[in-house]
Amino acid sequence: MNVTHPEDERQARAFVEEWECWNPGVERVQLFDVRRRLDEPLLAYLARVPEPQVFVLIAEVEPEHAWQWMLQNERGAVLARALRRRTDAVVCRMRFRVSREARSDRKPAAVAGRTG
């Protein structure tokens, strides 16, 4: 799922195209929020999900160097707290370490290595 501001339509389309190219076999849900919030649109969506058990994976970038930690926002932690407080969803925060080599390749490894 991704939350998009209505004015960011071009970036949203690019994300959808990359997701479809990657084809991870997971449904992609796109939500829109004019105030650029993550928690409220996600909480509203989860309230409508009929499944009794929901898993939420929050992907976060882990800085390469310790000094870069102070530049990172705590959006993932805030979202995880809101989800745990207001839903029964199982929440997992998954950090991805980004190195200089990974930054040179703009697509995820699963996309870059895919031939079909």
Side-chain angles (χ1 to χ4, degrees):
M1 183 205 75
N2 66 309
V3 180
T4 306
H5 187 276
E7 292 177 1
D8 298 334
E9 187 177 333
R10 187 173 49 118
Q11 291 93 345
R13 250 184 307 187
F15 179 79
V16 169
E17 289 172 7
E18 287 186 23
W19 186 270
E20 289 172 354
C21 179
W22 181 28
N23 189 17
V26 176
E27 178 187 4
R28 183 197 55 78
V29 175
Q30 186 165 1
L31 304 174
F32 294 94
D33 187 74
V34 295
R35 293 179 11 195
R36 299 184 188 271
R37 297 170 303 172
L38 292 175
D39 57 345
E40 292 302 323
L42 180 56
L43 290 167
Y45 173 76
L46 290 176
R48 298 187 313 262
V49 172
E51 282 80 13
Q53 189 64 52
V54 176
F55 297 87
V56 178
L57 176 64
I58 301 172
E60 299 175 295
V61 174
E62 182 177 287
E64 185 175 10
H65 302 285
W67 64 268
Q68 294 169 327
W69 277 101
M70 73 175 121
L71 302 174
Q72 294 295 310
N73 65 40
E74 291 295 316
R75 192 173 292 179
V78 171
L79 182 58
R81 261 184 256 122
L83 290 169
R84 287 185 181 117
R85 208 175 299 134
R86 297 175 57 188
T87 71
D88 290 332
V90 175
V91 180
C92 178
R93 292 171 57 199
M94 184 171 175
R95 294 193 174 111
F96 294 93
R97 183 168 293 152
V98 178
S99 64
R100 289 179 202 189
E101 297 81 31
R103 283 188 296 238
S104 65
D105 182 17
R106 298 196 51 94
K107 292 189 177 183
V111 174
R114 192 177 186 127
T115 58

